[in-house]
Amino acid sequence: MKRVFLLVFTLSLIALFLVRERDVAEDSGVQVKGEEFQSYRGRYWAPISFHGNVSDRALVDTGAVYSSIKAKILKDIEHRELPPTEISSVVGRYSLEVVKIKEINFSGKRKEDPVFLVSSTSVIGANLLFDNPPVTLGAEGVEWGDRLDEGTCVPFKMDYLGSGAESGISALYIGLKINGNLEYALLDTGGRDYLTGIKDGANPASRVTLIMNSDGRISFATYSNESADLTIGSESRSVRYRSYKSGFNSRAKYVIGAKFLEEFSVHVRSNVGPVCLIKNP
């Protein structure tokens, strides 16, 4: 009984630490200036404003289909409520409120009537990041428009918000070779790691950890440490990564996270591609 109590107490302290880490990131640790991204604990944050007078900082998360607005600032913003939606993520399935905002300004671009989920953290998701390309996403921020140097174009796949490309990009998958096999990894800058594996079905791991999504929800996850020969464009190297057991219907077998932007900027020319990688100096 004593051991059970100590285990529960320890896990509670870990959970409180993780929540506190998120709060520090939102309230004091991220200093955002101008239109630039700022890195905090391996992820990128950017300034946003609503109607020009309500400002916040948002997690840059290409793995989120829709952007999110912090619940505590919603009361100061003109909006219209929409039917709630169910979210499936690494921490399980849950329901979130949905609203339509009159106007948002992000990275020098003004967008009218965007759809937002209501969450504990403001997030800039794929529906804004990939809205109306060409667009380049990198560690320094977002650039809208064509580029003279598009870098090296790579295999890619896209999911869309609706029935076709004209509805907008909801997810971007970058082609890479793992141990010589072509795989399509979801670009998810809401995660920190350069590469992560996702496995369905049987438990691949003997290790357990706590994970937290951008909404602050915490769950246990099992994983194994793996290694692979990785090729992206013309760049090859050996990598070690974690492969997690999926508790939901994952969109990809592999995920590349925010650390990827330290090495490459991602250029999307249009809603049907191509997708090119620009090696950072």
Side-chain angles (χ1 to χ4, degrees), residues 13-219:
L13 287 178
I14 294 172
L16 286 172
F17 172 79
L18 290 172
V19 172
R20 175 57 183 162
E21 182 183 65
R22 184 201 69 202
D23 291 341
V24 168
E26 291 181 16
D27 296 333
S28 63
V30 186
Q31 301 298 323
V32 179
K33 300 178 182 179
E35 301 294 343
E36 297 180 353
F37 286 6
Q38 295 290 315
S39 177
Y40 180 79
R41 294 188 183 272
R43 298 191 294 179
Y44 293 97
W45 300 74
I48 56 175
S49 65
F50 303 92
H51 312 317
N53 57 3
V54 179
S55 299
D56 197 13
R57 45 183 169 258
L59 175 66
V60 179
D61 186 359
T62 56
V65 174
Y66 287 102
S67 302
S68 299
I69 185 171
K70 193 182 299 179
K72 67 182 181 181
I73 68 171
L74 185 61
K75 59 182 176 59
D76 300 320
I77 299 169
E78 184 177 343
H79 65 278
R80 179 164 60 90
E81 294 183 0
L82 301 176
T85 188
E86 190 172 70
I87 301 297
S88 179
S89 79
V90 292
V91 298
R93 299 182 68 87
Y94 52 94
S95 181
L96 287 178
E97 297 177 63
V98 183
V99 296
K100 181 172 282 190
I101 304 294
K102 183 178 179 180
E103 175 190 311
I104 182 176
N105 289 278
F106 162 67
S107 196
K109 187 173 184 179
R110 178 174 173 268
K111 172 77 172 176
E112 294 183 350
D113 297 324
V115 173
F116 279 80
L117 306 179
V118 181
S119 178
S120 60
T121 304
S122 292
V123 172
I124 296 296
N127 68 317
L128 289 180
L129 287 166
F130 299 128
D131 177 58
N132 195 26
V135 60
T136 304
L137 173 65
E140 299 299 319
V142 173
E143 295 180 11
W144 310 100
D146 294 315
R147 292 181 60 99
L148 292 176
D149 175 19
E150 291 186 336
T152 302
C153 295
V154 295
F156 70 94
K157 291 182 179 179
M158 293 174 176
D159 289 339
Y160 297 106
L161 296 168
S163 58
E166 67 279 356
S167 64
I169 300 168
S170 64
L172 177 62
Y173 305 84
I174 294 176
L176 45 80
K177 286 188 176 181
I178 296 181
N179 295 328
N181 299 315
L182 179 62
E183 303 283 357
Y184 289 90
L186 174 67
L187 180 63
D188 181 4
T189 57
R192 296 180 177 88
D193 293 344
Y194 193 99
L195 179 70
T196 302
I198 305 291
K199 290 188 176 181
D200 294 317
N203 187 344
S206 59
R207 299 171 183 261
V208 179
T209 187
L210 281 172
I211 56 174
M212 180 174 62
N213 71 353
S214 60
D215 192 37
R217 297 171 189 267
I218 298 172
S219 178

Side-chain angles (χ1 to χ4, degrees), residues 5 10 108 123 138 179 190 268:
F5 172 79
T10 302
V123 172
N179 295 328
V268 181

